[in-house]
Amino acid sequence: MRVAALVLATAALSAAPQAGQGATPTGFITTVLVGLTDPAGKVPVIDGVPGAGVSNWGVAYPLGQLTAGNFYTYSVTMQDLSYTGKCTASYDITQVINTKKTVIQSAKIASFACKPNTVWAWAINAPALPSSPGPATLTGIATFGTRKTVLNIPIVLQ
Amino acid sequence: MRIFAAAIASVATLSAAPGAIAATQPGYLNMVIASPPDPNAKVPVFDAIPGADVGTLAVAFPQAVLQHGNVYIYWISFHDLTFNGTCTMSYDITQKIGTTTKKLQGGTILKFACSSPGIFGAGIAGKPLVNSPGLATLTGTVAFGSTKEKLSTTILIQ
């Protein structure tokens, strides 16, 4: 299952670099989340809250502890400020095992054509989580062409 | 200021399995976002997506590009694994100007009694964002008693 969102920004966004701040990124990752896969398939969802007056993103409870054998859904949200072209969203879970960084689970969630002044949300249902108990890092990766933005969140696997 | 808060005291997947590993920290922040306020006050909200078969969280779309003068909701969520006691949730926006890091905005969102295991989230409407264009850092902090956990994300103020 994949979910995609495109919401045009309500305010004009400027991509001009700011004095003293260096080059402005063309886009940003805003969240990477993991929650239980919904058996009913209702979440993740865009604008799933009845009566809300803003565009909204609904997910299963975001978790910091994951259990081997369970099925989880991973989501990435991102905002495109000024880039036109190919964007991707992906995630991985890594652990340091015997001083070596090891990928426990990962996937490219989406590859798509993005454009300025938009926000996007993508999600994917993952296979059962492998058993690898211990501290880990959930990383969300959003690319805007060759530029990559990353968000790392500590989690624990059991 | 309006405070949005919710707490879920029991999540099925959090029960400690035999041989479960000990978490390395009392809880895990998984989300710090800025998003526009909902004029209908429906989001952020827990468990408001009809038909979902898991606990849910819905938030206004997270924004990384923030307009000065606008008011945003700053929302944090975290997964309390082992801590029982006073939790304090706060946020701040900082900006590096030259060699100095300046705090632009911030404050306590909520101070309350945490009980583990649980998933908690709260948000607050900030003041109108100051005119300080450029890249900045949005940081969420949860103090589990005297132990602080932080999560940061890059934003752009325009």
Side-chain angles (χ1 to χ4, degrees):
Chain A
M1 176 199 64
R2 290 181 179 179
V3 177
L6 167 60
V7 182
L8 295 176
T10 54
L13 304 176
S14 165
Q18 307 296 330
Q21 298 296 321
T24 299
T26 53
F28 300 83
I29 185 170
T30 49
T31 67
V32 55
L33 300 170
V34 55
L36 285 171
T37 298
D38 180 9
K42 298 295 185 183
V43 289
V45 64
I46 298 152
D47 296 339
V49 177
V54 290
S55 292
N56 54 84
W57 178 230
V59 295
Y61 293 160
L63 300 174
Q65 183 185 51
L66 308 183
T67 301
N70 281 358
F71 292 87
Y72 295 100
T73 297
Y74 298 84
S75 68
V76 168
T77 58
M78 52 204 282
Q79 183 167 15
D80 184 348
L81 173 63
S82 60
Y83 180 73
T84 301
K86 180 184 173 184
C87 289
T88 65
S90 57
Y91 82 95
D92 61 48
I93 295 175
T94 57
Q95 271 182 330
V96 176
I97 300 174
N98 297 329
T99 71
K100 186 181 176 185
K101 186 177 177 181
T102 304
V103 177
I104 306 300
Q105 195 172 65
S106 67
K108 179 178 280 187
I109 304 174
S111 178
F112 59 102
C114 54
K115 56 185 179 180
N117 301 338
T118 54
V119 292
W120 300 82
W122 298 95
I124 191 167
N125 294 340
L129 185 70
S131 178
S132 187
T137 301
L138 170 63
T139 300
I141 305 121
T143 66
F144 300 85
T146 57
R147 300 187 72 165
K148 181 164 78 169
T149 64
V150 170
L151 186 57
N152 291 311
I153 295 185
I155 58 174
V156 63
L157 310 183
Q158 70 169 23
Chain B
M1 289 188 180
R2 181 160 182 234
I3 295 174
F4 309 88
I8 301 93
S10 63
V11 178
T13 56
L14 300 184
S15 58
I21 63 137
T24 55
Q25 51 193 71
Y28 290 78
L29 269 83
N30 44 42
M31 192 177 198
V32 54
I33 60 168
S35 56
D38 179 4
N40 297 341
K42 299 291 186 183
V43 292
V45 65
F46 281 112
D47 297 328
I49 297 173
D53 203 18
V54 292
T56 64
L57 168 65
V59 295
F61 256 94
Q63 303 288 318
V65 183
L66 308 183
Q67 307 296 316
H68 77 266
N70 284 2
V71 169
Y72 294 93
I73 305 298
Y74 300 94
W75 171 270
I76 294 172
S77 69
F78 67 97
H79 191 163
D80 180 3
L81 297 182
T82 60
F83 182 75
N84 296 294
T86 300
C87 286
T88 305
M89 308 167 74
S90 59
Y91 82 98
D92 61 55
I93 297 173
T94 57
Q95 193 174 49
K96 192 169 184 181
I97 300 173
T99 57
T100 304
T101 299
K102 182 181 178 184
K103 182 175 176 176
L104 302 180
Q105 191 176 99
T108 298
I109 298 173
L110 188 65
K111 186 174 183 178
F112 65 107
C114 273
S115 59
S116 63
I119 292 172
F120 299 88
I124 194 167
K127 297 175 182 174
L129 195 57
V130 297
N131 188 359
S132 187
L135 293 175
T137 301
L138 170 62
T139 301
T141 302
V142 176
F144 299 91
S146 60
T147 301
K148 289 185 177 179
E149 302 294 344
K150 293 177 180 286
L151 181 63
S152 296
T153 187
T154 301
I155 60 173
L156 176 68
I157 299 173
Q158 293 192 325

